[in-house]
Amino acid sequence: MQQLRREPFRLLFPLGALLAIVGVLPWLLFGTGLSRLYLGVYHAFTMTQAFLIAVAAGFLGTMIPRRTGSAPLSSVELAILAGGLLAIPAALFWDR
């Protein structure tokens, strides 16, 4: 856990990749005819509010403490960040 706190990109970059897949999946299903649902809003918000934030937070959470000598993210902060990012596509799917 200490390494994840010092290098949060090790958690947040793979999480971002997962969120990118989840964000693009509706278009793949729609394009292949497996789904007739138009999930444009779901796609847009998942990509901008989850995927991009995961990548940015992973980068900034790693580089800012290194450059400034400040404390790394705490375990609680990292858990809340990851949980919040995972909650975004779930909430969008259920229109919340």
Side-chain angles (χ1 to χ4, degrees):
M1 188 62 168
Q2 183 66 19
Q3 185 173 5
L4 285 180
R5 288 185 58 229
R6 282 185 291 128
E7 299 176 336
F9 76 89
R10 293 186 184 274
L11 172 67
L12 296 175
F13 283 8
L15 180 59
L18 174 68
L19 291 167
I21 291 168
V22 168
V24 171
L25 187 62
W27 290 120
L28 294 174
L29 295 174
F30 187 76
T32 58
L34 296 173
S35 173
R36 296 227 180 250
L37 294 174
Y38 174 76
L39 296 173
V41 173
Y42 172 86
H43 163 76
F45 280 108
T46 298
M47 296 305 283
T48 59
Q49 303 298 316
F51 164 69
L52 291 176
I53 300 300
V55 173
F59 173 74
L60 293 173
T62 301
M63 290 309 297
I64 288 176
R66 287 183 181 181
R67 296 285 183 215
T68 63
S70 59
L73 293 174
S74 71
S75 299
V76 173
E77 291 168 335
L78 193 55
I80 289 171
L81 180 59
L85 290 170
L86 287 171
I88 291 169
L92 287 168
F93 185 76
W94 285 293
D95 290 327
R96 300 286 174 226

